[in-house]
Amino acid sequence: MSKQMPEKTSSTVLVVDHDPKALAHARQVLADAGFVVAGAEDGAQALERFEQLVPDIVLLSVDLPKSNAFELCSRLSHITSEANPPALVLTGLEDEASINRAFEVGATDFVVKPVNWPIISHRIRHILRARKAFHDIRAAEEKVRHLAYFDGLTGLPNRELFKEHLAQAITIARRQGWRVAALFMDLDEFKRINDILGHSAGDQLLVTVGKRLLQSIRESDRVTHGAISSDGHQAARFGGDEFTVVLAIAHEADDVAKVAQRIKNALALPVLLGEQEVFVTASIGIALYPDDGETVDTLLKNADAAMYEAKRAGKNRYRFYTQSMNAHALRRLTMESKLHKALENDEFWLSYQPQIDAKSGEIVGMEALLRWDNPELGTVSPFEFISIVENNGLIVEIGEWVLKTACAQAQAWQNAGFPRLRLGVNLSPRQLQKNRLVSMVKETLRSTGFSAQYLELELTENLLMRHLDETIEMLDMLCDMGITLSVDDFGTGYSSLNYLKRFPLTTLKIDRSFVNGIPGDADDMAITKAIIAMAHSLKLRVIAEGVEDEQQLAYLCEQGCDEFQGFFFYKPLSAQEFTHVLERQKLILGSRQRKK
Ligand code: C2E
Ligand code: MG
Ligand code: MG
């Protein structure tokens, strides 16, 4: 029979026995079994060794001098708590009372003397293995808890944990008569940074924002004179580019404003992403317990509504919740749900705004503009609902409907013998999907019979800034079909001359806000003048949007602007009204020609 080799192990066993012979024997057998063994003959020695070695397991003989094993066992179990090594009690007293006592004071198991040492070493190994498995499970549980409650990117608590923190703060505040502030923060234009600099830069930015947020909250004691406790994690990443903060405050809402301002200041410093320095701002909404709500959900909803107001008011600011915000938020929600059915319920229609040629004064084009009439909400402005359908993706389907309807209408006018006008259709960035857009446009032109040469797609500057290569490829394909492309609302985005050259563009549309400033605002006038000159040097046609009076028109003419679109000439018209206008123009042109 071959002798079994001792299992290699580095586990340390501390044997405590007052009988030197028994101790020596135990040490020998356990060492042979592969353990690192230390021995102690009394309680004091045992404690000393224990602290030195931190053994993996302790074997205690009960009949120790001075301090008996039960007492020692209970003292050992107080030294370290969670990582406490198991204690195996060796007892000669086979009575139930002493066994119970051993367990009471923290023993893991007991062995009745005389001890069969070779068997004991197996038992020790088994106990240690079970122990390790237990710790592994605990570690895994802890990891799962961390994953479930913390954001992997920033290390901040996540939405779930934040809600728990807020609920706790509310409970305490209710008892103490305190207030709690929930801050809801959303980064401004984060999407743009993500799109232009890439996702890893975006991630890096979020990490930096998380750190700055945490720091401004930790330092909030100084601005609020201790009125806000800065214990624990009160900042969280709520999701995406949304962060939340819970502040427990004793008295004044003013203190919350100071913290919000502090966060704003912390964010205002530039962030270095690779070689690129970027600036990020945030919009913050604040709701207070109990003033603005008494539950986690209400507070969050209202803080979110306040954040939305901060965005509407121009971003990079904070807003306290007010009752009227709920009306806005409610309207947004109502719109959101109604928009899902709007297409199928036939609630959309198109208006067409004429574009006038500067030289001839004739209508040379039109822009199709989407309108939404809902039985309950009435007529809703695209400024209100376009952003909603862009966010939820409905714009893709709606945009296809717009293109199809507009092309069919424009073709109908051509068929009726009216002059062949250029048709401008707005394109949302969401519609720029490689596999969908080009084939959709092709199919629309085919089914409506509308010729590509009369179609002009209006793109926003932001759209041109993202995914450059893919965008260029797609726009080139459209261009090859004979479609022309314009940049809408020019001057409001982040365009540079450089990028304009890279796209197959034909037209720039000067944003209404610049035209609006003529003739009062010298800057607006200078910008308008520069845009026209620049566009012409790039061989682009310029259309001025939002021309409302004669002075604006005169200035634009003087600068050589090519076309005009605005209330001074026409408001957006229904298809029927537009037909009347075309008929009138036809009559006038006809009589002019007859006179010649
Ligand atoms: P936009 O493409 O810049 O359209 C021009 C907007 O300026 C229209 O607003 C038009 O009614 C308005 N406008 C034109 N002349 C004047 C003027 O002299 N004074 C003033 N105050 N306003 C003038 P509207 O129709 O409310 O559309 C707003 C925006 O909604 C559009 O701006 C466009 O960005 C978006 N939009 C409209 N229809 C569609 C669509 O079918 N698809 C997409 N993606 N966006 C659309
Ligand atoms: Mg437009
Ligand atoms: Mg525009």
Side-chain angles (χ1 to χ4, degrees):
M1 216 167 75
S2 71
K3 196 175 168 221
Q4 218 180 334
M5 286 295 288
E7 190 181 312
K8 270 270 175 257
T9 168
S10 54
S11 299
T12 306
V13 186
L14 174 62
V15 187
V16 190
D17 199 321
H18 80 292
D19 175 359
K21 258 174 74 187
L23 183 60
H25 178 62
R27 291 182 69 163
Q28 185 60 52
V29 179
L30 292 175
D32 285 350
F35 293 103
V36 176
V37 196
E41 288 184 16
D42 57 39
Q45 223 179 52
L47 280 171
E48 197 181 299
R49 290 277 145 83
F50 187 91
E51 277 175 14
Q52 272 170 1
L53 294 169
V54 193
D56 297 299
I57 185 164
V58 182
L59 267 56
L60 278 176
S61 178
V62 276
D63 40 355
L64 283 176
K66 285 183 226 157
S67 103
N68 98 4
F70 299 130
E71 205 184 312
L72 180 61
C73 194
S74 109
R75 283 176 69 182
L76 289 181
S77 65
H78 282 107
I79 294 178
T80 53
S81 54
E82 177 66 5
N84 229 348
L88 200 55
V89 172
L90 315 177
T91 173
L93 323 155
E94 200 179 347
D95 63 301
E96 217 180 312
S98 66
I99 290 166
N100 281 342
R101 176 107 191 272
F103 283 123
E104 264 164 36
V105 295
T108 312
D109 206 349
F110 70 95
V111 177
V112 180
K113 287 180 170 181
V115 177
N116 179 340
W117 284 103
I119 284 183
I120 285 295
S121 48
H122 285 297
R123 182 119 162 228
I124 291 173
R125 222 169 263 132
H126 175 75
I127 291 173
L128 289 176
R129 233 180 266 135
R131 184 91 173 170
K132 182 171 177 305
F134 172 75
H135 281 297
D136 287 351
I137 290 170
R138 287 293 286 271
E141 273 173 3
E142 184 54 34
K143 202 168 160 199
V144 167
R145 199 189 94 83
H146 201 86
L147 285 175
Y149 279 116
F150 290 85
D151 168 48
L153 181 66
T154 59
L156 289 176
N158 66 8
R159 176 195 296 247
E160 301 315 316
L161 189 52
F162 176 79
K163 284 183 166 180
E164 282 184 19
H165 282 166
L166 184 55
Q168 276 165 13
I170 290 173
T171 309
I172 296 170
R174 184 175 298 133
R175 249 182 259 136
Q176 309 279 355
W178 285 352
R179 276 175 161 155
V180 176
L183 277 68
F184 200 107
M185 170 175 123
D186 187 285
L187 300 185
D188 301 326
E189 311 280 342
F190 176 70
K191 256 206 184 96
R192 203 167 55 79
I193 291 173
N194 230 358
D195 287 343
I196 297 170
L197 298 177
H199 284 275
S200 73
D203 282 357
Q204 214 180 317
L205 180 69
L206 291 174
V207 172
T208 307
V209 168
K211 280 188 191 147
R212 289 186 186 178
L213 184 59
L214 210 53
Q215 202 171 3
S216 18
I217 292 154
R218 287 207 173 129
E219 287 172 0
S220 61
D221 269 352
R222 271 194 276 136
V223 284
T224 60
H225 309 291
I228 298 176
S229 131
S230 58
D231 299 344
H233 285 126
Q234 296 147 316
R237 181 172 174 218
F238 208 66
D241 62 342
E242 294 168 344
F243 293 83
T244 43
V245 174
V246 53
L247 299 171
I249 48 169
H251 309 290
E252 291 308 315
D254 212 30
D255 290 330
V256 184
K258 284 182 190 156
V259 177
Q261 185 58 45
R262 212 185 165 76
I263 294 171
K264 248 191 79 186
N265 294 347
L267 292 183
L269 302 167
V271 183
L272 198 64
L273 301 175
E275 310 242 293
Q276 187 79 31
E277 211 175 51
V278 300
F279 289 87
V280 65
T281 60
S283 302
I284 303 172
I286 304 164
L288 298 174
Y289 167 90
D291 318 50
D292 305 326
E294 305 208 357
T295 65
V296 169
D297 286 343
T298 319
L299 283 175
L300 278 175
K301 189 186 87 184
N302 292 346
D304 184 38
M307 185 278 291
Y308 186 74
E309 272 311 302
K311 292 251 186 216
R312 267 170 50 123
K315 303 180 179 167
N316 190 23
R317 65 197 65 216
Y318 61 85
R319 279 278 183 273
F320 280 89
Y321 170 77
T322 64
Q323 218 97 78
S324 71
M325 288 176 188
N326 239 343
H328 283 301
L330 191 66
R331 183 171 162 86
R332 245 191 322 149
L333 256 172
T334 316
M335 281 197 279
E336 161 97 62
S337 80
K338 298 213 176 296
L339 278 163
H340 282 279
K341 291 260 168 178
L343 207 51
E344 133 191 2
N345 290 350
D346 236 358
E347 292 171 5
F348 291 123
W349 56 278
L350 292 182
S351 64
Y352 300 86
Q353 188 174 30
Q355 293 167 335
I356 314 298
D357 181 70
K359 294 203 179 78
S360 67
E362 283 165 21
I363 299 175
V364 286
M366 60 196 151
E367 178 177 5
L369 292 161
L370 184 58
R371 295 291 175 261
W372 179 31
D373 284 348
N374 178 268
E376 250 170 77
L377 296 166
T379 303
V380 187
S381 156
F383 284 116
E384 265 196 284
F385 72 82
I386 290 281
S387 66
I388 297 178
V389 289
E390 277 185 337
N391 273 334
N392 66 16
L394 279 175
I395 189 67
V396 177
E397 227 181 303
I398 296 173
E400 291 178 10
W401 177 87
V402 170
L403 186 70
K404 194 163 186 171
T405 310
C407 287
Q409 178 61 62
Q411 185 57 41
W413 280 320
Q414 292 195 359
N415 291 347
F418 293 119
R420 294 172 186 270
L421 302 178
R422 190 184 58 235
L423 168 70
V425 175
N426 293 286
L427 209 59
S428 153
R430 287 290 293 255
Q431 290 178 266
L432 238 76
Q433 300 164 8
K434 202 173 171 192
N435 298 326
R436 183 153 178 174
L437 181 68
V438 177
S439 56
M440 184 278 287
V441 173
K442 252 187 207 150
E443 170 53 26
T444 304
L445 293 175
R446 193 200 58 76
S447 68
T448 56
F450 191 58
S451 163
Q453 61 172 309
Y454 298 111
L455 180 60
E456 181 156 281
L457 295 174
E458 299 195 2
L459 315 165
T460 64
E461 283 175 281
N462 285 350
L463 181 150
L464 295 176
M465 296 291 284
R466 51 180 72 182
H467 312 307
L468 280 176
D469 289 340
E470 209 177 286
T471 311
I472 293 177
E473 198 184 318
M474 236 182 300
L475 298 184
D476 278 339
M477 285 163 88
L478 292 170
C479 206
D480 290 345
M481 289 162 59
I483 292 166
T484 55
L485 303 170
S486 67
V487 188
D488 203 357
D489 306 336
F490 186 77
T492 56
Y494 297 82
S495 36
S496 67
L497 291 175
N498 245 347
Y499 95 80
L500 280 184
K501 279 193 293 191
R502 296 158 72 171
F503 296 100
L505 305 168
T506 48
T507 310
L508 279 196
K509 298 187 75 177
I510 305 179
D511 191 62
R512 202 168 75 219
S513 59
F514 300 116
V515 176
N516 202 21
I518 302 170
D521 189 316
D523 285 344
D524 283 348
M525 290 174 80
I527 291 169
T528 307
K529 183 176 172 178
I531 292 176
I532 295 172
M534 178 199 84
H536 283 162
S537 74
L538 292 170
K539 309 232 166 356
L540 298 172
R541 181 199 305 132
V542 185
I543 303 183
E545 288 188 305
V547 182
E548 291 186 358
D549 60 44
E550 228 156 329
Q551 278 172 303
Q552 294 168 346
L553 181 63
Y555 182 76
L556 290 162
C557 281
E558 200 181 302
Q559 300 311 322
C561 187
D562 304 292
E563 290 177 23
F564 312 108
Q565 179 182 343
F567 295 175
F568 181 70
F569 297 96
Y570 298 98
K571 290 198 165 176
L573 309 169
S574 69
Q576 199 185 14
E577 290 167 331
F578 202 97
T579 308
H580 293 320
V581 169
L582 290 176
E583 279 165 351
R584 234 182 20 239
Q585 181 170 280
K586 201 172 173 184
L587 279 178
I588 295 167
L589 286 176
S591 73
R592 260 195 224 154
Q593 256 152 19
R594 276 196 299 278
K595 273 183 196 157
K596 277 182 195 166

